[in-house]
């Protein structure tokens, strides 16, 4: 009877060792998988960073040309506004002076009659 119990205990101990070895193996495999995944992530990150750097280098002058085009367009519009101002200044001043000196009182359209 005691040899049966000892045999069961021995078998249980062997099973526990097998389970522990399986856990260690699984833990090592997980660590290895994480390390492999991290190295792949780092490699992918370097690749994308180099692609971004290349894209930025290729398109660096584009922003300068767009900025210059925008500046010239703004300058042109500003010159147009100044010329219209010079053109209509005297007529607007005359209109304001006439409206001030010769008022024509009228009833507002929303006023009740």
């Amino acid at each position: 009877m005691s040899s049966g119990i000892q045999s069961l205990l021995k078998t249980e101990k062997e099973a526990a060792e097998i389970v522990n070895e399986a856990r260690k193996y699984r833990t090592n495999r997980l660590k290895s998988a994480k390390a492999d995944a991290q190295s792949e992530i780092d490699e992918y990150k370097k690749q994308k960073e180099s692609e971004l750097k290349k894209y930025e280098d290729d398109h660096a002058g584009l922003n300068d040309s767009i900025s210059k085009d925008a500046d010239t367009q703004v300058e042109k519009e500003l010159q147009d506004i100044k010329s219209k101002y010079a053109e209509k200044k005297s007529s607007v001043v005359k209109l304001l002076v006439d409206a001030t000196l010769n008022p024509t009182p009228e009833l507002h359209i929303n006023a009740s009659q």
Side-chain angles (χ1 to χ4, degrees), residues 59-106:
H59 295 86
L62 186 63
N63 288 340
D64 294 336
S65 65
I66 290 173
S67 177
K68 287 178 183 177
D69 290 344
D71 288 344
T72 57
Q73 184 179 359
V74 166
E75 199 62 37
K76 181 180 178 256
E77 289 177 5
L78 188 60
Q79 290 300 325
D80 289 345
I81 290 171
K82 285 181 180 179
S83 67
K84 285 184 183 179
Y85 164 77
E87 223 176 78
K88 298 186 179 204
K89 177 182 173 185
S90 61
S91 64
V92 170
V93 169
K94 183 180 181 312
L95 178 68
L96 289 173
V97 169
D98 288 345
T100 306
L101 296 177
N102 303 321
T104 54
E106 295 177 0

Side-chain angles (χ1 to χ4, degrees), residues 28-42:
N28 289 338
R29 293 288 293 158
L30 284 173
K31 286 180 183 178
S32 168
K34 284 182 183 179
D36 291 345
Q38 188 61 44
S39 67
E40 286 181 23
I41 288 170
D42 292 341

Side-chain angles (χ1 to χ4, degrees), residues 16-30:
E17 287 177 12
I18 292 172
V19 168
N20 283 337
E21 288 297 319
R23 284 184 181 149
K24 286 179 186 177
Y25 177 76
R26 188 184 80 193
T27 303
N28 289 338
R29 293 288 293 158
L30 284 173

